[in-house]
């Protein structure tokens, strides 16, 4: 449902600007900002990445979360110039934190922007998110891919920045959240990019891709479709096997739809996740069930678990007011 | 992504209860209630309908909106006994308002429940929602189908009930909102029910169904896929042609994904809707862009326009705290 492949991002930004007066949206270069920016020396949070994962990241711009998001073309890294436009727009003297999902292009372009910002006297720290336990290296990544934990990092570090913490502390918290988070995804269908107009890979109706990435990158293996409780068990084994969770630990849980999964099915998956955690003596202190980190029209689910300490839980519960995440204010 | 067709609703209710402590969820009969019900003689709002349209209606239970939702099996009306269980749970002496989408089974079962409630001394009024301008009669409907305006009615009448208005006034407001609302939907793909496991109708890759219903019921005609701006123009012509909107009027607009439409595409559609309204001299005072009234995994968009007077706008802006709609508190 587009007008033309090359118009997807500008057309969508046009709609985003019209729908959300609380945002200021630049079309060229593409940057999403708060219409009513904070004052003082608050650390500014900037994120970005390829489009097609909405509401990530533009839907998380606002009080208590991001100051700016840089949407690239669909599944394409944002350009360094675009990131610099965001940096200049949001820099308030307290420095800038980049939240970057671990994809080679994203990491490179944000790194270049950090160097350019330093030349302009703007201090930048970076949190690279790499929470996806499915594969060690992937199509577009050296090391683990960054997926759902980007939301955890943006929310929790964003709340700390809103409280006036300095850049080193906001960055440190972002890294702690990433280190405490693990994700795993299973796809039932491929997704079709606007440019291609057809699914990016071929997945038979009765097969699933286990450990899929958010661009449809291959995972660990293919298997036959099976009951969702078994799919969740596979994902939870991968997550818990890689995590240092112990009975009595508290968690924040996200059961995330990848774009074409009915909400009713996400709640079925959530029930299975909650049971798996309870069986290990783990508590869930907060949860999100819905479409937060999508892959266009891919059917599937990703599960993200953050082992949350008391600081993280307080910051998670702090007020947030963005198009896609909103509570407490 | 299910365990078994007959377990879809109970499994999902299990997850809903675990995810949302602010809800009280009964599994048998299936009823979703507020965990912390209001006190006093507040008019109670009860809605319901087939499952598969989430977050409608269970996601709209909470302060400022519904007191109870009755989810039927997928695409199946809730039973009269189920509706009565909801009525008994929420009746506070101020009477009960039923919000019913116009499908024959839903209307019949809610009518029977209203009669049974009257025998128990509980006053019930009903708002039948019939906002879909696409067809006069349809597979499961005499008269127009009820779709997106259910959300408008539940939000606005719910806010009035929260303020302590009597049943007649809450019902009157609900009917005014329905009468002021029009919707139209276009599908790019069919949806697959859990029981069938395959799409409910056959729609070639390059064709669209214009005027589709929320269960995949046929619309006005099929056509070739075309740019989204043209699809929106078709929908807006149908809506505006049936509406009594005049330059200077204010509206509430929903651009709703039917389950498998990427959010980025919904924003593209919203830009086109906003332009179409501006061209007619119509204002948009509030908007929703996202998945609110879905049809399982159908790809497509529905557009709903409510001509909103000052009372409706005030009530729309009033605080609401539900899983799927939340602002002002």
């Amino acid at each position: 449902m587009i007008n033309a492949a090359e118009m997807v991002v500008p057309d969508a930004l046009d709609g985003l600007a019209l729908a959300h007066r609380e945002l200021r949206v630049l079309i060229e270069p593409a940057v999403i900002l708060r219409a009513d920016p904070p004052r003082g020396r608050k650390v500014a949070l900037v994120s970005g990445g390829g489009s097609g994962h909405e509401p990530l990241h533009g839907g998380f711009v606002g009080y208590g979360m991001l100051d700016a998001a840089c949407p690239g073309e669909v599944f394409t890294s944002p350009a360094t110039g675009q990131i610099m436009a965001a940096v200049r727009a949001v820099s308030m003297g307290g420095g800038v934190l980049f939240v970057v999902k671990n994809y080679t292009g994203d990491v490179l372009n944000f790194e270049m922007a950090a160097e350019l910002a330093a030349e302009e006297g703007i201090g930048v720290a970076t949190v690279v998110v790499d929470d996806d336990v499915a594969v060690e290296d992937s199509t577009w990544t050296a090391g683990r891919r960054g997926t759902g934990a980007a939301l955890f990092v943006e929310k929790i570090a964003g709340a700390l920045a809103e409280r006036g913490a300095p850049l080193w502390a906001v960055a440190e918290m972002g890294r702690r959240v990433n280190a405490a988070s693990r994700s795993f995804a299973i796809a039932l269908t491929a997704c079709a990019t606007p440019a291609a107009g057809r699914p990016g890979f071929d997945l038979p109706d009765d097969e699933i891709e286990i450990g899929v990435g958010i661009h449809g990158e291959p995972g660990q293996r293919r298997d036959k479709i099976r009951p969702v409780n078994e799919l969740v068990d596979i994902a939870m084994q991968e997550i818990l096997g890689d995590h240092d969770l112990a009975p009595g630990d508290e968690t924040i849980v996200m059961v995330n739809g990848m774009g074409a999964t009915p909400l009713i099915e996400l709640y079925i998956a959530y029930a299975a996740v909650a049971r798996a955690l309870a069986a290990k003596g783990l508590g869930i202190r907060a949860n999100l069930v819905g479409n937060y980190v999508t892959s266009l029209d891919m059917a599937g689910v990703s599960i993200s678990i953050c082992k949350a300490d008391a600081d993280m839980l307080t910051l998670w519960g702090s007020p947030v007011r963005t198009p896609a995440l909103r509570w407490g204010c």
Side-chain angles (χ1 to χ4, degrees), chain A:
Chain A
M1 235 176 49
I2 63 170
N3 289 308
E6 69 278 11
M7 291 304 292
V8 165
V9 174
D11 279 357
L13 289 176
D14 190 20
L16 191 75
L18 289 163
H20 299 288
R21 298 303 164 98
E22 70 272 29
L23 299 178
R24 184 160 74 91
V25 178
L26 314 181
I27 306 280
E28 184 50 50
V31 179
I32 300 160
L33 303 160
R34 305 190 197 183
D36 187 17
R39 293 163 198 283
R41 287 173 54 84
K42 190 187 92 70
V43 171
L45 269 75
V46 175
S47 191
S51 291
H53 306 300
E54 291 69 23
L56 184 87
H57 298 273
F60 302 141
V61 172
Y63 179 84
M65 216 161 163
L66 295 179
D67 293 275
C70 307
E73 291 297 311
V74 171
F75 292 175
T76 303
S77 302
T80 299
Q82 193 181 346
I83 300 166
M84 278 309 295
V87 167
R88 293 188 191 109
V90 301
S91 169
M92 289 165 278
V96 176
L97 181 72
F98 287 167
V99 180
V100 184
K101 300 192 300 304
N102 189 33
Y103 299 96
T104 306
D106 292 29
V107 170
L108 275 175
N109 291 356
F110 273 98
E111 262 176 13
M112 277 195 285
E115 286 169 22
L116 292 173
E119 289 172 15
E120 297 185 15
I122 300 170
V124 171
T126 298
V127 176
V128 176
V129 178
D130 58 352
D131 54 314
D132 184 346
V133 301
V135 291
E136 265 313 313
D137 298 292
S138 179
T139 317
W140 294 311
T141 325
R144 287 183 170 179
R145 302 176 294 217
T147 62
L151 185 156
F152 294 157
V153 171
E154 291 170 10
K155 170 66 187 83
I156 293 173
L160 188 60
E162 212 69 65
R163 291 175 180 217
L167 180 57
W168 69 264
V170 177
E172 161 81 9
M173 177 57 77
R175 290 186 196 111
R176 270 171 60 195
V177 172
N178 177 61
S181 299
R182 300 288 186 281
S183 297
F184 194 90
I186 293 176
L188 279 68
T189 69
C191 55
T193 62
R198 61 186 62 249
F201 59 101
D202 185 51
L203 191 56
D205 270 3
D206 62 340
E207 289 193 11
I208 57 177
E209 180 81 35
I210 295 175
V212 73
I214 58 174
H215 314 91
E217 308 96 303
Q220 299 178 339
R221 67 183 193 275
R222 292 210 174 162
D223 204 338
K224 292 288 171 191
I225 180 80
R226 46 176 87 186
V228 63
N229 284 355
E230 292 179 30
L231 300 183
V232 168
D233 282 346
I234 293 170
M236 292 304 289
Q237 271 186 18
E238 295 281 345
I239 288 171
L240 296 175
D242 193 82
H243 220 312
D244 64 341
L245 286 156
D249 282 345
E250 298 289 353
T251 65
I252 301 169
V253 172
M254 177 165 65
V255 172
N256 173 63
M258 303 193 77
T261 303
L263 186 56
I264 194 169
E265 298 183 4
L266 296 181
Y267 278 110
I268 297 174
Y270 182 77
V273 171
R275 270 193 301 270
L277 290 175
K280 299 277 183 189
L282 300 163
I284 302 178
R285 287 286 291 274
N287 70 79
L288 293 174
V289 181
N291 294 317
Y292 294 98
V293 182
T294 61
S295 304
L296 293 171
D297 60 347
M298 192 188 290
V301 63
S302 70
I303 298 165
S304 297
I305 311 277
C306 175
K307 172 181 166 178
D309 61 28
D311 290 343
M312 294 179 199
L313 289 170
T314 300
L315 293 165
W316 180 265
S318 296
V320 61
R321 193 171 53 240
T322 72
L325 220 60
R326 169 182 296 259
W327 56 71
C329 63

